[in-house]
Amino acid sequence: MQQPGAVRWPQGKRGCMALAFDLDGPTGDAMLNGSLWSTPEYFTFGAYGPYRALGRLLDLLRAFQIPATFFVPAWVVEQWPQQCQAIIEQGHEVAYHGYRHESFWAISPDEQRAVMAKSAEIFKQHLGITACGFRTPSGDWHAETPQILRDAGVIYSSSMRGDDRPYSIPVAGHTPLVEIPGKWEMDDYASLAYTRQPDFPKGGDRIASYAHTRDNWQREFDGAMDEGLCLTTLFHPKISGQPGRILLLEQLFEHMTARDDVWFARCDAVAQWYLQEQQHD
């Protein structure tokens, strides 16, 4: 049942689904500490995302006509510019996700500013765009980060966990930063990821049942839509874009699109709608 005071979404829809993928490639801790360059297995595991899995995902999204947002480290844009251009050409959004997937809680504000500036330059050079969205690679940030993001022209983040609807983060001298919160339950790493080196998930020796994983995701989706909320995902092409798992996503998309009361939107559209609604309040 939709709760009293629930958000009224565009087109009179009951709930909002903002499908999102983190196209990390081989970036992350192993790249940052240098161990990646002596571990071909892990490099190829990451590179599989933009090189092979992304095409499957784009085909699936086109078949279901679902818009999506891809959060992409700028290093990945440098290495696979044509693949990243294909995301935009098919009507999806590309947004910031660090340069080499840096942990924003572990680097200084000045380093964060440098990462944002470098990312903006690379996006403009290779994709011809100025992104307006950001997802922190670490799932956390400094108190100064919202100010840094707004100074860099970012209007929304999809990084925190403070609600299941968009909300405002005040920023001095700017309109608020819109937060489109996610949840770890909608991260495919939590149930489907397995790599031998680095050992992630730590201590893991098997992955979850695909059927149980799909059931979990569908229940999260139905619960959010029934209450008129906004749900986003933290999916990764190198994880859920593999052949067996693409079938899992196909079944999930069939379930989601069977409803006629859902607004499927890119994260930038959600943020822009939210800012317009705030002006009317």
Side-chain angles (χ1 to χ4, degrees), residues 83-106:
Q83 286 84 347
C84 293
Q85 289 167 1
I87 297 172
I88 297 170
E89 290 168 0
Q90 295 196 28
H92 305 296
E93 177 191 9
V94 174
Y96 298 125
H97 198 43
Y99 175 62
R100 295 187 300 171
H101 206 271
E102 299 84 358
S103 295
F104 266 52
W105 59 266

Side-chain angles (χ1 to χ4, degrees), residues 19-31:
L19 195 67
F21 297 87
D22 295 357
L23 186 63
D24 295 342
T27 63
D29 290 346
M31 177 176 283

